[in-house]
Amino acid sequence: MAVWPEEKVFKDPVHKYIYVQEPAIWDLINTKEFQRLRRIRQLGASFFTFHGAEHSRFSHSLGVYEIARKIIHQFERNGFSDWPREEGLLCMCAALLHDIGHGPFSHSIETVFGEHHEAWSCRIVQGDTEVNRVLRRIDPSFPDRVAAVICKTYPQEIVVSLVSSQLDADRMDYLLRDAYCTGVNYGMYDLERILRVIRPHRGDIVVKESGMHAVEDYLTSRYQMYWQVYFHPVTRSSEIVLRNIFARAKAIYDAGDGETLPFLPEPLRRLFEGRLDVEHYLALDEALVQAAFSLWANGKDEILSDLCKRFLHRKLFQYATPTRMDEALLERLRESIRREGYDPDYYLQVDFPKDLSYDVYRSGAASRKKPIYLLKHDGGLTEISEVSDIVRSISGTQYGRHRIYVPERILEPGNPYITAETAEWLKGE
Amino acid sequence: MAVWPEEKVFKDPVHKYIYVQEPAIWDLINTKEFQRLRRIRQLGASFFTFHGAEHSRFSHSLGVYEIARKIIHQFERNGFSDWPREEGLLCMCAALLHDIGHGPFSHSIETVFGEHHEAWSCRIVQGDTEVNRVLRRIDPSFPDRVAAVICKTYPQEIVVSLVSSQLDADRMDYLLRDAYCTGVNYGMYDLERILRVIRPHRGDIVVKESGMHAVEDYLTSRYQMYWQVYFHPVTRSSEIVLRNIFARAKAIYDAGDGETLPFLPEPLRRLFEGRLDVEHYLALDEALVQAAFSLWANGKDEILSDLCKRFLHRKLFQYATPTRMDEALLERLRESIRREGYDPDYYLQVDFPKDLSYDVYRSGAASRKKPIYLLKHDGGLTEISEVSDIVRSISGTQYGRHRIYVPERILEPGNPYITAETAEWLKGE
Amino acid sequence: MAVWPEEKVFKDPVHKYIYVQEPAIWDLINTKEFQRLRRIRQLGASFFTFHGAEHSRFSHSLGVYEIARKIIHQFERNGFSDWPREEGLLCMCAALLHDIGHGPFSHSIETVFGEHHEAWSCRIVQGDTEVNRVLRRIDPSFPDRVAAVICKTYPQEIVVSLVSSQLDADRMDYLLRDAYCTGVNYGMYDLERILRVIRPHRGDIVVKESGMHAVEDYLTSRYQMYWQVYFHPVTRSSEIVLRNIFARAKAIYDAGDGETLPFLPEPLRRLFEGRLDVEHYLALDEALVQAAFSLWANGKDEILSDLCKRFLHRKLFQYATPTRMDEALLERLRESIRREGYDPDYYLQVDFPKDLSYDVYRSGAASRKKPIYLLKHDGGLTEISEVSDIVRSISGTQYGRHRIYVPERILEPGNPYITAETAEWLKGE
Amino acid sequence: MAVWPEEKVFKDPVHKYIYVQEPAIWDLINTKEFQRLRRIRQLGASFFTFHGAEHSRFSHSLGVYEIARKIIHQFERNGFSDWPREEGLLCMCAALLHDIGHGPFSHSIETVFGEHHEAWSCRIVQGDTEVNRVLRRIDPSFPDRVAAVICKTYPQEIVVSLVSSQLDADRMDYLLRDAYCTGVNYGMYDLERILRVIRPHRGDIVVKESGMHAVEDYLTSRYQMYWQVYFHPVTRSSEIVLRNIFARAKAIYDAGDGETLPFLPEPLRRLFEGRLDVEHYLALDEALVQAAFSLWANGKDEILSDLCKRFLHRKLFQYATPTRMDEALLERLRESIRREGYDPDYYLQVDFPKDLSYDVYRSGAASRKKPIYLLKHDGGLTEISEVSDIVRSISGTQYGRHRIYVPERILEPGNPYITAETAEWLKGE
């Protein structure tokens, strides 16, 4: 390993600079697996809604590392005894690598094919990869320990919390970065203020009581981002189109009709067959997927071709927001769509924001993630929504509405295939 | 065309909002040719140097439109008589579409294959495209007029100036946007201040005399961006790798050795054969090119495979900055490289920043772009570098240094193939 | 009046530029009454808590004008029929002048002497002043109309709403400006987004339904500013010291003991006597008041001298936050203070944030200001807290706690004059 | 001294937070001499030009301390051997206190009365003050050492450089802060980037060669601030009015005509008599001076009254920019002014920007401040203007023009007292 004369930096629009002070971190960044994250966008198809959302998981991963580094540095500077100093490097490695298993348009692919990026992250860390070799050079046990942190089985819970909890480096970076790139600056919160109020406490990260307003600010920013960006109906629409492309292509392949797929490189073939290995998983990136869409758009299958063009040219589905779900009316709509010549399996989708992997703040059993605790003067802990009306109001929020996505033509006024009753229903309030 | 009840907006990180007040602009944005710009990055391979440089020409093109709209709006609001009001929509269309002909990694492709994005912009505007149809709906002469503005042959010079000059909407947006996305905030300048000091004057756009410092600020920001971002040696290195990939793939194809190219979709084949048409040119995007690199990386030609991997995994060439060019020493270096097993045609490149399509401010004959004039109280004009020492110092600047790019291994200390004299020479000052 | 060749601007840190397009606005700004606002800080003594809070009511008043101008401009540009175009100039004048009657450290002076800045604003507008003369030049009725808007008796309610409501130009500016100057950037909200969602509707300003999240964002920013800045206990402490200085000085004066006031210029004398007229009111500024404090600090009255030094040297009172109010314990504390040699009338203050003139969002009867209505698709109106959980949670918030302010020495551990029981009580939770 | 459990912070709009990690720094901030800086504006009367320029020397002094702290912290973190670690606290104290001797509107008072704020800073540090007592508690020699750093006689030159040189913490803060408060954001530069490229080297602070562009950016920002803010003709005008007020008041006092000065507190009396001591110097603040102006405005001396009103109501002098200085024409103008009833000693001023205490970058003998050196790879040093064209162009810049300031009326077109020749001359180019 080379001499390491001085810290290295990356210029970053969100954190100004990202400081690399450990050779291992530098080497991890330079692995081909990490470099691949440059070809995977952080927000999938959200760029159709917010054109600035073009940033990659590479940028975000550097940011998560930087926030983890800052938190650890702050804990060490203040000499907090509940922070296990010897876990610093592990924690920074896990922060850097926690998204290494993300594929192109993860949410859509995961829904259609049942892959899980977290599991892939572990496979990449533990498999025959450059990342694995760098980690082993630190210590032979490092790959397994990093994987354990990512998969939340590491015994030192505080290390897991720093990478994955309601107040983790992952969210802290993506909220700021997504806000910065989309221009939705109401998603900004004061990171330095949050860093000042958190501290390690008996194996967990808690917030000192006087920092309650800082956390409220962070959670309301997050709430704004969920409803303005992550759950935006146009983004949902693009994800529906994406899912239906994958589903259709797989159906064609499964039907043994491979000829109608004018381009099917090995990684996609293996994805369809459910037998991806690390090597081919890593070869899956957005360039490959979008190139496939381009070529499929010229193929013979009309549905696949149409869906690919919709994606490439941003002719997404439109949506209606009916006041209530009504199976009978929905069935009638399905029938109308069929009569217009569309296969409702690919051209009608009922959607409810809840099913996203994102979630707003939830306390207790409602969330898979650890809630946020305030540390009182007397050393006791209070879950924040017990004392903050504003947090309670956010965590109970259920604004989500059922939406029905269909091709634009279906919703045009005066469409003869749609009955007056259905039209009335679709109009919503 | 639909009813147009209210202005539409795009959320933009640089301009906050982009206002669309004309249905034709809205329709142009929704054409497939314009949507394709989402798949072409604004700064090519600069993201290897500044990870935030992931924004597309789509975002930039919207920004150029918005600045043109603001300038025109300002001219109209102030009632400046030298502004031809009837050209407003034409000017905004040309601003929006001026980059419509950009292909993937344009600078590299243009260098290797001799294509010109400006010419392609005109072909797309005038050809059988959605863009052309929207423009014709405004007026049958519109496509030709837009093309004339883009190709700088339009008789109303002020319209051309607004889209392409030393102080045009194009540069005004890209400086801000590139600074914002890379985080290089010393590239920021005060747009609103520039808008306040420019005005139409006898067929040109000039700056009122009291605005001299505003222009100095704009030009020094630009100067910073050129040396910090656009001419950055790592970016140059990635462009050299890119060019060599294209050159090698073409050489293989020309040699009739198509079998060694595991993937060659029609648009690339036509590019190699020099017979691209509008349809196939539009199918060329970064996804297709990067997918090709991915697949070529697994092909049989070792040089092509190695170069593609260098690009995908960011194992770019390293550089040396010798104090002077010396053909004899260069020839000896070429020999050493050959002895190390590298083909110097693909693994050695002498580079001098000047050949980029970007340029710092030049007045007079040194520039293809109109210089900037100050409008004096008495109505006379002065070219800005005549009165501003700071601008003169920038326009005369020749910091560029010859650099020699080679694989990292070549420059490692103690490389036995490199003689002491060559090593000394490469070390530079 | 001079020729008005081009719009004039002020460089402003919050709005970038403030545009003056009407000669009357320019002339109002140049009156001596408006210039006097430079000598009155926007946030009174808050600079003791946030050192950046040094901005004046002059800056804020320009900002309120600018926001009103932007709103009106937006209403006119969109051609909203419910906006009475002929009221534009009136509305901008009232926005500019709404704080013209503020005196130095208004909240404290108003509490002690019963003056009301709103009433003074009207007197200045209607009295023998430069402001009055500029307004009369527009139209003889203008002074009365401006005064009516400021005092909320103007028949066109929408004009009043724009200057004073839950969503008025006044708050919109002060939230942004106070956040900017203090550095408390979590008080920032997206002004341009708010401007996009408000519209005139039957004599009122309402928010289109899809703008609900924009208003939530604005109200949570405001909530943050109230608890972090406006209700900050150190600011409260400085206001208590201020009030006690005024109260003590008046008591000395009332006791006929004018000799112990080493400096009592006419405006202060008239303030004490309750017979201020417009001329002397205008001569009251922070410079005069602080100069008085400086000179009083060297006077013979020990209490007044001490309080003035506390203010000048920032030796403010400390506070305790007992869990509950207890009259018996409070009386005992008063007794202890007396035994320490302090007069509890000037050295003990129970404080509850509610009594401030600031308030968080309240709907309905709980507020003197108009609530915010959402305009539904069907034209109906809904008060925002009925549909937004987050706004409801904010408007019901009662975090305020009783605090007891006393000299630092009283709260020192081991103070022999404080019994164990009192100490326990003061410690709070 | 109290227990010091955790670092303390100030919220700051420029640096986000200012970190206090040493009890002595905290105690210095809480002295009455340091608190007094809240009553002295950083930019004197510049708020008349840029209304946002209302920030105090208190805010700036905290900022200088914070930058010094960051530089020292960076030097220590990188383990640079040329940094004398034991001087850290001394350096931070000097940074914090370097402006402690500034009085109200220093430049004007210093010009009229010959006081020097630097000398006063040393007297305050070494005299019978709270500041002195805090410093002595660190070490009995500390007051003298801090004074030596401020007066540039301290033997460790690097400590002096950090507080006062061409690249010192003082300028680094004021450029950012003045840019932030005025809204002149082209005065912003990238502080973090500068901090990354400076390092201690043989008793001096130098810039590593690759940081040349960072310094260019810093110096061009500074150049912009000088010409846009510090040398702004309106600011110059307000300083001329100020100086003439002081000169007139002193003339009245010297004439034994004290009765016509309706208010003359002891600190002003002593200023006039040239026998200020530390105690009375500290009592001089802007509140006292402005209160005096308010009261003098009502006094009997017409000139003093008029000048005071001009200052309070911002009826400043107007200026003309003649092409060349011409003593004969100037004498004739003086005569005209006299005929209009003005005393030219108080109503005519020839001004040239050079005489300000601010200066743009100068190298070598032209400057009292150390120039900036680049540290080359071979360990040699180069003065930056030798290699940077842009810096050379700035340091040679002499844009300054003679201006003549007179009451507005004098310059009104058609003024019968002004001959055609004089009018022509005043018109300039």
Side-chain angles (χ1 to χ4, degrees), chain A residues 231-353:
Chain A
F231 291 169
H232 195 287
V234 172
T235 303
R236 306 287 292 178
S237 179
S238 58
E239 284 169 0
I240 288 164
V241 173
L242 261 175
R243 288 206 302 265
N244 291 358
I245 290 175
F246 287 122
R248 182 66 182 178
K250 185 176 186 324
I252 293 170
Y253 183 78
D254 287 351
D257 203 10
E259 291 307 292
T260 30
L261 286 177
F263 175 63
L264 193 65
E266 190 61 15
L268 281 171
R269 182 183 309 272
R270 283 172 176 257
L271 173 66
F272 289 175
E273 294 174 356
R275 49 184 198 85
L276 274 171
D277 53 16
V278 166
E279 180 198 342
H280 289 95
Y281 186 80
L282 288 168
L284 261 184
D285 61 24
E286 287 186 13
L288 197 75
V289 166
Q290 284 189 94
F293 292 180
S294 273
L295 296 165
W296 294 352
N298 298 322
K300 284 177 202 153
D301 184 78
E302 276 184 26
I303 290 176
L304 183 60
S305 166
D306 176 69
L307 292 172
C308 286
K309 284 177 185 161
R310 285 181 177 276
F311 187 82
L312 293 167
H313 309 153
R314 197 189 179 282
K315 310 288 184 206
L316 306 175
F317 293 163
Q318 295 296 305
Y319 63 91
T321 312
T323 29
R324 66 193 188 291
M325 264 305 110
D326 180 314
E327 272 308 315
L329 285 165
L330 187 64
E331 187 46 47
R332 231 176 289 170
L333 178 62
R334 209 170 269 132
E335 195 46 48
S336 311
I337 280 171
R338 210 170 278 128
R339 250 178 289 139
E340 283 241 36
Y342 289 115
D343 179 343
D345 285 356
Y346 297 107
Y347 289 96
L348 170 69
Q349 181 75 43
V350 178
D351 184 70
F352 186 76

Side-chain angles (χ1 to χ4, degrees), chain C residues 60-353:
Chain C
H60 165 60
S61 294
L62 287 181
V64 178
Y65 151 76
E66 175 64 12
I67 291 179
R69 192 193 66 78
K70 276 188 176 138
I71 294 173
I72 292 167
H73 184 250
Q74 192 248 113
F75 286 176
E76 294 187 350
R77 186 157 46 95
N78 281 286
F80 292 136
S81 59
D82 281 12
W83 170 248
R85 271 173 173 267
E86 67 283 2
E87 305 282 17
L89 182 57
L90 172 67
C91 195
M92 290 189 284
C93 290
L96 185 73
L97 299 173
H98 80 289
D99 269 355
I100 195 90
H102 260 295
F105 308 113
S106 295
H107 298 142
S108 307
I109 285 199
E110 295 189 1
T111 306
V112 176
F113 299 98
E115 304 291 343
H116 297 293
H117 69 265
E118 219 163 62
W120 279 109
S121 291
C122 291
R123 271 174 231 157
I124 292 166
V125 164
Q126 295 174 301
D128 177 21
T129 59
E130 291 183 20
V131 160
N132 181 274
R133 283 189 285 282
V134 173
L135 292 174
R136 262 189 290 142
R137 277 209 300 270
I138 304 173
D139 184 289
S141 74
F142 239 65
D144 291 346
R145 288 168 66 201
V146 168
V149 175
I150 292 173
C151 294
K152 307 188 193 64
T153 58
Y154 194 68
Q156 280 272 30
E157 280 191 39
I158 195 168
V159 179
V160 176
S161 286
L162 213 142
V163 178
S164 174
S165 66
Q166 287 288 354
L167 200 62
D168 57 22
D170 181 19
R171 283 159 193 268
M172 287 190 210
D173 184 77
Y174 76 63
L175 288 177
L176 289 180
R177 192 169 301 275
D178 297 346
Y180 186 90
C181 290
T182 55
V184 174
N185 57 341
Y186 30 96
M188 295 287 185
Y189 64 95
D190 186 342
L191 173 63
E192 213 159 335
R193 188 182 175 208
I194 291 284
L195 295 184
R196 281 186 47 72
V197 299
I198 59 175
R199 51 210 49 196
H201 178 77
R202 301 191 187 167
D204 215 337
I205 287 173
V206 301
V207 176
K208 66 175 179 175
E209 198 174 15
S210 64
M212 186 183 78
H213 288 299
V215 177
E216 287 180 340
D217 170 44
Y218 162 80
L219 291 177
T220 51
S221 295
R222 195 163 122 185
Y223 163 89
Q224 285 283 340
M225 288 301 283
Y226 282 92
W227 293 105
Q228 298 306 299
V229 177
Y230 306 135
F231 290 168
H232 195 288
V234 172
T235 305
R236 306 287 291 179
S237 179
S238 58
E239 284 168 0
I240 288 164
V241 173
L242 261 174
R243 288 206 303 266
N244 291 358
I245 291 175
F246 287 122
R248 181 66 183 181
K250 185 175 186 325
I252 293 169
Y253 184 78
D254 287 351
D257 202 11
E259 291 308 291
T260 32
L261 285 178
F263 176 63
L264 192 66
E266 190 63 14
L268 281 170
R269 181 183 310 271
R270 283 172 177 257
L271 173 67
F272 290 174
E273 294 174 355
R275 51 184 197 82
L276 273 170
D277 53 18
V278 166
E279 180 197 341
H280 289 95
Y281 186 79
L282 289 168
L284 259 185
D285 59 27
E286 288 186 11
L288 198 74
V289 166
Q290 285 188 93
F293 292 180
S294 274
L295 297 165
W296 294 351
N298 299 322
K300 285 177 203 152
D301 185 79
E302 275 183 27
I303 291 176
L304 183 61
S305 166
D306 176 69
L307 291 171
C308 287
K309 284 177 185 162
R310 285 180 176 276
F311 187 81
L312 294 169
H313 309 153
R314 199 187 177 282
K315 312 287 186 208
L316 306 176
F317 293 164
Q318 296 296 306
Y319 63 92
T321 313
T323 30
R324 67 196 188 288
M325 265 305 111
D326 180 315
E327 273 307 317
L329 286 165
L330 188 63
E331 187 47 47
R332 231 175 291 169
L333 177 63
R334 207 170 271 130
E335 194 48 46
S336 311
I337 282 171
R338 209 170 281 126
R339 251 177 290 137
E340 283 241 37
Y342 289 115
D343 179 342
D345 286 355
Y346 298 107
Y347 288 95
L348 170 70
Q349 180 76 41
V350 177
D351 184 68
F352 186 76

Side-chain angles (χ1 to χ4, degrees), chain B residues 127-376:
Chain B
D128 176 21
T129 58
E130 290 183 19
V131 159
N132 180 273
R133 283 189 285 283
V134 173
L135 292 174
R136 263 188 289 142
R137 276 210 301 272
I138 303 174
D139 184 289
S141 73
F142 238 67
D144 290 346
R145 289 167 65 199
V146 168
V149 176
I150 292 174
C151 294
K152 308 188 192 63
T153 60
Y154 193 69
Q156 281 271 27
E157 281 190 40
I158 195 170
V159 179
V160 176
S161 287
L162 212 141
V163 178
S164 174
S165 66
Q166 287 288 355
L167 200 63
D168 58 21
D170 182 19
R171 283 159 194 269
M172 287 190 209
D173 184 77
Y174 77 62
L175 288 177
L176 289 180
R177 193 169 301 275
D178 297 345
Y180 186 89
C181 288
T182 56
V184 173
N185 57 342
Y186 32 96
M188 294 287 184
Y189 64 95
D190 187 342
L191 173 63
E192 213 160 336
R193 188 183 175 207
I194 291 285
L195 295 184
R196 281 186 49 73
V197 300
I198 60 175
R199 51 209 51 198
H201 177 76
R202 300 189 187 169
D204 216 338
I205 287 172
V206 301
V207 175
K208 64 175 183 174
E209 197 173 17
S210 64
M212 186 184 78
H213 287 298
V215 177
E216 288 180 340
D217 170 43
Y218 162 81
L219 290 176
T220 50
S221 295
R222 197 164 120 184
Y223 163 89
Q224 285 282 340
M225 287 301 285
Y226 281 92
W227 292 105
Q228 298 305 299
V229 177
Y230 305 137
F231 291 168
H232 195 286
V234 173
T235 304
R236 305 287 292 179
S237 179
S238 58
E239 284 168 0
I240 288 165
V241 173
L242 261 175
R243 288 207 302 266
N244 291 358
I245 291 174
F246 287 123
R248 181 67 182 177
K250 186 175 184 323
I252 293 170
Y253 184 78
D254 287 352
D257 202 12
E259 292 307 292
T260 31
L261 285 178
F263 176 63
L264 193 65
E266 191 60 16
L268 281 171
R269 182 181 310 270
R270 285 173 175 257
L271 173 66
F272 289 175
E273 295 173 357
R275 49 182 199 85
L276 273 171
D277 54 15
V278 166
E279 181 197 340
H280 289 95
Y281 186 79
L282 289 168
L284 260 184
D285 59 25
E286 288 186 13
L288 198 74
V289 167
Q290 285 190 93
F293 292 0
S294 273
L295 296 165
W296 295 349
N298 298 322
K300 285 177 203 154
D301 185 79
E302 275 183 27
I303 291 176
L304 183 61
S305 167
D306 176 67
L307 292 172
C308 287
K309 282 177 186 161
R310 284 180 176 278
F311 187 82
L312 294 168
H313 308 154
R314 199 188 177 281
K315 311 288 185 206
L316 305 174
F317 293 163
Q318 295 297 307
Y319 63 92
T321 313
T323 30
R324 65 194 190 290
M325 265 303 109
D326 180 314
E327 272 308 315
L329 285 167
L330 188 63
E331 186 48 45
R332 229 175 292 168
L333 178 63
R334 210 171 269 130
E335 194 48 49
S336 311
I337 280 173
R338 210 172 281 128
R339 250 178 287 140
E340 282 239 38
Y342 289 114
D343 179 342
D345 285 355
Y346 298 107
Y347 288 95
L348 170 69
Q349 181 75 44
V350 177
D351 184 69
F352 187 75
K354 206 166 52 176
D355 64 350
L356 251 199
S357 73
Y358 294 103
D359 67 314
V360 293
Y361 180 75
R362 298 275 180 273
S363 63
S367 168
R368 298 167 311 146
K369 303 233 174 184
K370 281 200 180 183
I372 299 171
Y373 287 103
L374 298 178
L375 177 63
K376 292 190 293 186

Side-chain angles (χ1 to χ4, degrees), chain D residues 168-347:
Chain D
D168 58 20
D170 181 18
R171 281 158 194 267
M172 288 191 208
D173 184 78
Y174 77 62
L175 288 176
L176 290 180
R177 193 169 300 276
D178 296 346
Y180 186 91
C181 288
T182 56
V184 173
N185 54 342
Y186 31 96
M188 294 287 185
Y189 66 94
D190 187 341
L191 172 63
E192 214 160 335
R193 189 183 174 206
I194 292 284
L195 295 186
R196 281 185 49 71
V197 300
I198 59 176
R199 52 208 52 198
H201 179 76
R202 299 189 189 172
D204 215 338
I205 286 173
V206 301
V207 175
K208 64 174 182 175
E209 197 173 18
S210 64
M212 185 184 79
H213 288 298
V215 176
E216 288 181 340
D217 170 44
Y218 162 80
L219 290 177
T220 52
S221 294
R222 196 163 121 184
Y223 164 89
Q224 285 284 339
M225 287 301 284
Y226 281 91
W227 292 105
Q228 298 306 298
V229 178
Y230 306 136
F231 290 169
H232 195 289
V234 173
T235 303
R236 306 287 291 180
S237 179
S238 57
E239 284 168 359
I240 289 164
V241 173
L242 262 174
R243 289 206 300 266
N244 292 357
I245 291 174
F246 288 122
R248 181 66 182 179
K250 183 173 186 327
I252 293 170
Y253 183 79
D254 287 351
D257 201 12
E259 291 307 291
T260 32
L261 285 178
F263 176 63
L264 193 65
E266 189 63 15
L268 281 171
R269 182 182 310 270
R270 284 170 176 259
L271 173 68
F272 290 175
E273 295 174 356
R275 49 183 199 85
L276 272 171
D277 54 17
V278 167
E279 179 197 341
H280 288 95
Y281 186 79
L282 288 168
L284 259 185
D285 60 26
E286 288 187 12
L288 197 75
V289 167
Q290 285 190 94
F293 292 180
S294 272
L295 297 164
W296 293 350
N298 298 321
K300 284 177 202 154
D301 183 78
E302 276 183 27
I303 290 176
L304 183 62
S305 166
D306 176 68
L307 291 171
C308 287
K309 283 177 185 162
R310 285 181 176 276
F311 187 82
L312 294 168
H313 308 152
R314 197 190 179 280
K315 310 288 185 206
L316 306 175
F317 292 164
Q318 296 297 305
Y319 64 91
T321 313
T323 29
R324 66 193 189 291
M325 263 307 108
D326 180 314
E327 271 308 316
L329 285 166
L330 188 64
E331 186 49 44
R332 229 174 292 166
L333 178 62
R334 208 170 270 131
E335 193 48 46
S336 311
I337 281 171
R338 210 171 280 127
R339 248 177 291 137
E340 282 241 37
Y342 290 114
D343 179 343
D345 285 355
Y346 298 107
Y347 288 96

Side-chain angles (χ1 to χ4, degrees), chain D residues 124-145:
Chain D
I124 291 166
V125 164
Q126 296 174 298
D128 176 21
T129 58
E130 291 184 18
V131 160
N132 180 274
R133 282 188 286 282
V134 173
L135 292 174
R136 263 189 288 142
R137 275 210 300 270
I138 304 174
D139 185 288
S141 72
F142 240 65
D144 290 345
R145 289 166 65 200

